[in-house]
Amino acid sequence: MSGKEPDPTDFSVVNTLLAAIEKGDMDEVRRCFAPDALTWHNFDEIEQDVDAMAAMLGHLCALSTSRIYEDRRVTSVGSQAFLQYTLTAVLHSGGRFRMPAMMRLEVDSDGLVARIEEYFDSRVLDSLAEVS
């Protein structure tokens, strides 16, 4: 870290991250995160490192032909962004995956994601388990 205070108005990494997920580019996803970043989900309360999180997203990308974050609403407070959105994907099976969610995302002083806490109904994952 550079030791400088984060710019509370620069959340460009959020758009970069979501665009990388939509493209299925896990290398770009990884570049959005600080090396020691963690991701937490409400349904299992387990913290994941960047590689585990990218593997989970990579699985979604492997099962789908396209992904899009719709109905995005972002509010920032200091070095945090609060996102509300619906992630939708078209699955190879022809089905659709739809996940309304909220996320709290912390950006470090280098402009990288330091932590994500994501909240969604885990029952939406059942549709992915059926096509795995």
Side-chain angles (χ1 to χ4, degrees), residues 15 19-20 46 65-66 94 103 113 119 123:
N15 290 327
I46 296 172
T65 59
S66 65
M103 174 189 305
V113 176
Y119 301 84
R123 290 180 295 178

Side-chain angles (χ1 to χ4, degrees), residues 92-109:
H92 288 291
S93 66
R96 295 186 66 81
F97 172 77
R98 185 175 182 280
M99 183 181 82
M102 292 192 75
M103 174 189 305
R104 184 181 70 84
L105 185 145
E106 294 176 18
V107 176
D108 70 10
S109 60

